[in-house]
């Protein structure tokens, strides 16, 4: 009862503060923005986009998971600092959130997930979160929502460099360097980063995080050439090498470690003729891992998958206020591993999209998608959305869709146990959004409902072998609120922002809430800039979660509240240099995201950011 009272007092306090404490170039709740993934801009009618600015990423640790944890409604289950970080978006599972890199789905072919702690924000120009279904455009996994990682390449911007150095508790090092050069016809961007930590923080019970060290090296390159007006070539490449030891629950356990090597490569050709614009993409994705069961042994298990993607986006704008588009894509994947025989699959998909600005106040869209493959029977997918602006103060948004997640390589081909007869998980969902805008005040309220069928679950079969089956049905529903306010106060500038999410996600066979899905999550931030000084505050509240499928409260993880503070000072000409310091978890909250996986108490870091 005390925990519930604490939560409601906290939430009411946030509301009275226009609950959304944020940072200066903080997170923006977008209606329309220019994005390199144009489908995100043009075909998200009825859905809310959250853009996370570069300055917010710098306030967080360098991983994508940390930035989203404090600045989105997504709940993250984290096996200790720097360990595996997996999302639950609107009550769905980790594999039901799709991650797009410049419009290309990069979820793992093995387990269908992305570890958000091995994706660095250093080489990403824009991070955007879109709640709700997106499978018609973005394919498998886009059930709870999508996370978009985009790069921009500018022309005629000259030569720019940025160096960011950060050092903190547990011998944690964060170093990032980015250089950009461009002329009238060409553009080049190169970004490199190193993130590492001994990660030996103390536990609340006087223990220590043993065998928790990690590192992550990344290199991102982007190149563009303007062949002629409306005719561009662009190339992007991203390489990461990450390693982490798995933290021990007990000192007597055998130390283990894990290595990831991932490369993403994309070539784009964009050309326009009359009312047509065509964008052809060729992508090659390579993911591999090694798992060492014992640090004292050279033996390891492994997996490797290579994916080739050919895609064409064609748009026609010859009709007044109407945009027609098609998306044709072919994806070929081959993979092998210690538990997987060498297998391959080929998927062809076609999608048709329509966007109509019927009046100045009303617009709507509709889309269909169908996939063809020999590995499973794919359903016809659809999406539809609309927005009506009643006034400059209020707009009503509607969206409905059918989405899916395909069986993963592990589901289909694991030996022994893989099931080649699996069907994709499918979902029907709808949402209603209300947007309020008044002077410096923004409020978005979205109610949603998701019905997921044929969820894949690994169950014991004959001979003691576990085998995946289309077993479960889950219904998720809830409410998301996004609130923001900003104002010039004297010679300073104040910005407040907050997010609240209420989530119910129930297994329909048991009527129990899914494990590791909190009913309540609140984030807030406040930023104040005065002259050369910036002051920032971040807050995160996660409600208690179940860790057992029968919802036995004896094993629940307690709710927790974390607060971070930071300050920085700009110096040099045009304030191009900045020196700052942060204190994370300032009240030394003892908390866990996963059972028996304690997170750090109060910790510190300092940073230097140079632009030249």
């Amino acid at each position: 009862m005390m925990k519930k009272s604490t939560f409601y007092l906290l939430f009411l306090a946030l509301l009275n503060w226009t609950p959304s404490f944020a940072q200066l170039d903080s997170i923006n709740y977008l209606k329309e923005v220019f994005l390199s993934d144009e489908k995100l801009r043009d075909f998200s009618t009825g859905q809310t986009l959250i853009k996370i600015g570069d300055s917010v990423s710098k306030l967080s640790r360098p991983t994508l998971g940390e930035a989203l944890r404090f600045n989105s409604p997504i709940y993250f289950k984290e096996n200790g600092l720097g360990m595996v970080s997996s999302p639950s978006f609107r009550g769905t599972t980790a594999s039901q959130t799709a991650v797009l890199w410049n419009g290309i789905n990069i979820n793992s072919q093995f387990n269908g997930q992305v570890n958000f702690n091995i994706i660095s924000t250093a080489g990403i120009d824009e991070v955007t979160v879109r709640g709700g279904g997106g499978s018609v455009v973005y394919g498998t996994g886009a059930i709870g929502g999508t996370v978009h990682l985009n790069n921009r390449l500018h022309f005629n911007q000259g030569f720019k460099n940025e160096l960011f150095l950060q050092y903190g508790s547990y011998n944690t090092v964060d170093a990032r360097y980015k250089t950009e050069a461009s002329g009238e016809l060409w553009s080049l961007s190169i970004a490199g980063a190193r993130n590492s930590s001994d990660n030996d923080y103390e536990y609340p019970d006087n223990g220590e995080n043993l065998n928790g060290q990690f590192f992550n090296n990344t290199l991102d390159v982007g190149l563009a050439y303007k062949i002629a007006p409306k005719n561009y070539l662009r190339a992007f490449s991203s390489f990461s090498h990450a390693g982490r030891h798995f933290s021990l629950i007990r000192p007597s356990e055998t130390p283990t470690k894990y290595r990831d090597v991932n490369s993403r490569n994309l070539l784009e050709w964009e050309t326009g003729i009359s009312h047509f614009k065509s964008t052809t993409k060729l992508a090659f994705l390579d993911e591999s891992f090694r798992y060492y069961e014992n640090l004292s042994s050279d033996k390891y298990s492994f997996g490797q998958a290579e994916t080739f993607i050919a895609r064409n986006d064609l748009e026609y704008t010859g009709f007044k206020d109407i945009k027609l588009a098609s998306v044709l894509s072919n994806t070929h994947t081959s993979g092998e591993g210690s538990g997987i025989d060498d297998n391959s699959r080929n998927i062809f998909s076609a999608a048709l999209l329509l966007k109509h600005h019927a009046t100045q106040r009303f617009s709507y869209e509709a889309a269909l998608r169908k996939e063809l493959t020999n590995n499973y029977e794919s359903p016809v997918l659809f999406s539809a959305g609309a927005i009506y602006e009643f006034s400059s103060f209020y707009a009503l948004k509607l969206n409905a869709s059918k989405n899916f997640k395909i069986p993963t390589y592990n589901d289909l081909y694991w030996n022994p146990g893989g099931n080649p007869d699996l069907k994709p998980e499918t979902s029907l969902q709808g949402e209603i959004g209300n947007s309020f805008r008044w002077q410096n005040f923004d409020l978005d309220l979205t109610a949603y409902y998701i019905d997921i069928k044929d969820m894949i679950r690994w169950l014991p079969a004959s001979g003691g072998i576990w085998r995946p089956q289309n077993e479960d049905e889950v219904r998720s529903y809830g409410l998301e609120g996004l609130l923001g306010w900003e104002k010039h106060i004297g010679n300073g500038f104040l910005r407040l922002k907050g997010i609240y999410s209420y989530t119910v996600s129930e297994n329909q066979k048991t009527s129990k809430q899914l494990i590791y899905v909190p009913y309540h999550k609140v984030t807030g931030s406040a930023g104040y800039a005065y002259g050369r000084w910036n002051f920032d505050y971040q807050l995160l509240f996660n409600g208690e979660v179940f860790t057992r499928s029968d919802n036995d409260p004896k094993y629940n993880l307690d709710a927790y509240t974390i607060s971070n503070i930071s300050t920085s000072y700009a110096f040099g000409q045009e304030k191009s240099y900045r020196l700052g310091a942060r204190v994370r978890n300032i009240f030394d909250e003892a908390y866990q995201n996963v059972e028996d996986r304690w997170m750090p108490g109060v910790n510190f870091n300092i940073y230097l950011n140079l632009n030249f």
Side-chain angles (χ1 to χ4, degrees):
M1 189 69 183
M2 178 67 70
K3 291 175 185 173
K4 289 185 178 180
S5 300
T6 302
F7 165 76
Y8 288 118
L9 286 173
L10 174 65
F11 184 49
L12 287 172
L14 277 167
L15 283 176
N16 289 329
W17 270 66
T18 313
S20 166
F21 323 133
Q23 206 256 358
L24 220 57
D25 181 18
S26 183
I27 120 184
N28 299 314
Y29 308 127
L30 305 177
K31 294 180 69 177
E32 283 196 350
V33 292
F34 176 78
L35 298 170
S36 56
D37 178 5
E38 293 189 356
K39 290 295 184 294
L40 177 61
R41 177 195 64 192
D42 295 337
F43 292 96
S44 295
T45 306
Q47 296 173 285
T48 299
L49 305 181
I50 302 175
K51 179 185 174 185
I52 300 175
D54 180 64
S55 59
V56 170
S57 297
K58 288 189 172 67
L59 272 182
S60 307
R61 289 186 172 89
T63 62
L64 179 62
E66 183 75 359
L68 295 177
R69 190 171 161 225
F70 277 90
N71 299 285
S72 79
I74 305 174
Y75 172 76
F76 283 90
K77 184 179 70 172
E78 193 169 11
N79 295 313
L81 181 65
M83 302 297 105
V84 175
S85 178
S86 53
S88 175
F89 201 166
R90 294 187 172 180
T92 62
T93 65
S95 60
Q96 292 168 344
T97 295
V99 180
L100 290 307
W101 172 71
N102 292 304
I104 300 297
N105 191 315
I106 61 171
N107 287 47
S108 171
Q109 297 295 323
F110 293 106
N111 59 17
Q113 304 177 19
V114 167
N115 177 6
F116 282 71
N117 269 345
I118 63 169
I119 296 183
S120 172
T121 59
I124 302 169
D125 297 319
E126 294 172 332
V127 178
T128 305
V129 176
R130 184 176 84 161
S135 290
V136 170
V137 178
Y138 298 111
T140 179
I143 292 177
T146 50
V147 177
H148 301 258
L149 316 176
N150 289 306
N151 295 106
R152 281 182 174 175
L153 291 170
H154 302 279
F155 295 95
N156 290 316
Q157 295 294 309
F159 187 56
K160 299 179 181 179
N161 294 274
E162 181 179 10
L163 177 65
F164 182 85
L165 299 173
Q166 182 170 240
Y167 182 80
S169 302
Y170 327 122
N171 193 31
T172 300
V173 176
D174 173 17
R176 318 178 203 177
Y177 175 72
K178 184 174 183 179
T179 182
E180 296 178 279
S182 61
E184 184 177 352
L185 299 178
W186 61 277
S187 179
L188 173 67
S189 174
I190 301 174
R194 163 79 177 186
N195 173 36
S196 65
S197 178
D198 291 344
N199 208 24
D200 52 354
Y201 53 89
E202 295 182 355
Y203 288 163
D205 58 2
N206 297 319
E208 182 180 321
N209 189 41
L210 300 175
N211 197 55
Q213 59 265 44
F214 63 82
F215 72 87
N216 188 14
N217 301 320
T218 62
L219 177 64
D220 292 89
V221 179
L223 178 64
Y225 181 71
K226 184 186 296 185
I227 301 171
K230 298 184 179 181
N231 200 335
Y232 302 88
L233 274 179
R234 290 185 289 263
F236 301 98
S237 185
S238 179
F239 175 83
S240 69
H241 176 212
R244 60 191 181 278
H245 291 206
F246 288 131
S247 300
L248 306 180
I249 296 177
R250 289 171 291 274
S252 59
E253 292 180 329
T254 301
T256 62
K257 68 178 181 180
Y258 195 88
R259 294 286 185 268
D260 299 270
V261 177
N262 292 278
S263 70
R264 303 187 291 267
N265 305 276
L266 173 64
L267 178 64
E268 292 184 353
W269 176 36
E270 177 186 317
T271 183
I273 301 175
S274 184
H275 296 293
F276 288 93
K277 185 174 79 170
S278 171
T279 303
T280 300
K281 298 185 178 186
L282 299 176
F284 171 66
L285 311 178
D286 186 8
E287 61 172 302
S288 63
F289 69 85
R290 290 183 179 183
Y291 172 64
Y292 296 81
E293 293 182 341
N294 192 328
L295 291 184
S296 61
S297 173
D298 292 331
K299 295 182 179 179
Y300 58 83
S301 57
F302 77 98
Q304 182 171 8
E306 296 180 340
T307 301
F308 296 87
I309 301 172
R311 169 171 166 160
N312 178 261
D313 294 33
L314 183 64
E315 295 182 359
Y316 179 74
T317 57
F319 302 113
K320 183 180 179 181
D321 301 322
I322 294 178
K323 176 178 288 188
L324 297 175
S326 67
V327 180
L328 301 178
S329 178
N330 193 83
T331 301
H332 180 84
T333 302
S334 59
E336 61 177 336
S338 300
I340 298 176
D341 296 331
D342 189 0
N343 276 286
S344 63
R345 65 182 177 191
N346 195 81
I347 303 170
F348 174 80
S349 67
L352 295 175
L353 305 93
L354 176 148
K355 177 72 171 284
H356 183 199
H357 292 277
T359 69
Q360 188 174 358
R361 294 179 178 272
F362 176 65
S363 62
Y364 65 91
E365 68 176 56
L368 293 171
R369 176 189 177 107
K370 175 62 179 176
E371 289 194 350
L372 299 175
T373 181
N374 293 327
N375 302 94
Y376 51 85
E377 183 62 32
S378 177
V380 175
L381 306 179
F382 71 86
S383 66
I387 181 170
Y388 186 83
E389 297 183 12
F390 287 88
S391 66
S392 60
F393 172 72
Y394 172 68
L396 175 67
K397 300 182 293 185
L398 302 171
N399 191 274
S401 59
K402 182 174 183 177
N403 303 281
F404 80 141
K405 184 189 79 68
I406 66 175
T408 67
Y409 250 73
N410 289 356
D411 294 332
L412 293 170
Y413 305 126
W414 189 265
N415 187 15
N419 184 358
D421 297 323
L422 289 171
K423 297 180 290 185
E425 301 174 353
T426 59
S427 73
L428 286 172
Q429 53 204 91
E431 61 183 88
I432 301 175
N434 300 272
S435 294
F436 302 89
R437 303 287 182 266
W438 184 68
Q439 295 184 359
N440 301 322
F441 174 85
D442 295 336
L443 173 63
D444 282 277
L445 295 174
T446 302
Y448 62 86
Y449 178 86
I450 308 173
D451 188 352
I452 306 173
K453 298 184 184 300
D454 294 321
M455 282 189 65
I456 296 171
R457 184 181 179 191
W458 284 71
L459 299 170
S462 59
I465 297 175
W466 287 67
R467 188 175 173 86
Q469 303 288 341
N470 292 107
E471 181 73 16
D472 289 339
E473 179 180 353
V474 171
R475 291 179 185 170
S476 296
Y477 58 91
L479 176 71
E480 292 174 353
L482 312 176
L483 191 59
W485 178 79
E486 57 187 36
K487 187 176 180 61
H488 287 278
I489 300 177
N491 294 324
F493 184 77
L494 176 66
R495 175 173 286 179
L496 308 176
K497 290 188 180 294
I499 302 174
Y500 169 69
S501 60
Y502 171 72
T503 308
V504 176
S505 186
E506 293 181 345
N507 185 317
Q508 292 304 289
K509 288 186 176 181
T510 63
S511 298
K512 302 294 185 181
Q513 178 88 343
L514 296 190
I515 63 174
Y516 292 108
V517 178
Y519 288 112
H520 305 284
K521 180 186 175 184
V522 177
T523 66
S525 56
Y528 183 67
Y530 183 83
R532 293 178 178 266
W533 288 95
N534 271 11
F535 304 92
D536 299 283
Y537 171 72
Q538 290 180 316
L539 177 140
L540 169 66
F541 171 85
N542 271 323
E544 66 177 349
V545 297
F546 298 108
T547 64
R548 302 293 189 274
S549 58
D550 63 358
N551 288 183
D552 188 339
K554 182 172 64 174
Y555 301 100
N556 287 4
L557 295 185
D558 292 337
Y560 59 85
T561 303
I562 307 168
S563 292
N564 304 331
I565 59 172
S566 67
T567 185
S568 62
Y569 178 78
F571 59 97
Q573 291 184 342
E574 299 181 359
K575 303 179 184 179
S576 54
Y577 309 140
R578 185 169 292 276
L579 180 66
R582 299 191 187 90
V583 184
R584 291 188 172 98
N585 195 2
I586 59 175
F587 299 114
D588 202 25
E589 178 89 345
Y591 71 101
Q592 304 172 76
N593 279 322
V594 175
E595 190 175 13
D596 295 323
R597 299 290 185 180
W598 290 102
M599 297 294 286
V602 60
N603 59 98
F604 313 86
N605 63 48
I606 57 174
Y607 69 88
L608 177 66
N609 194 189
L610 306 176
N611 290 277
F612 53 95

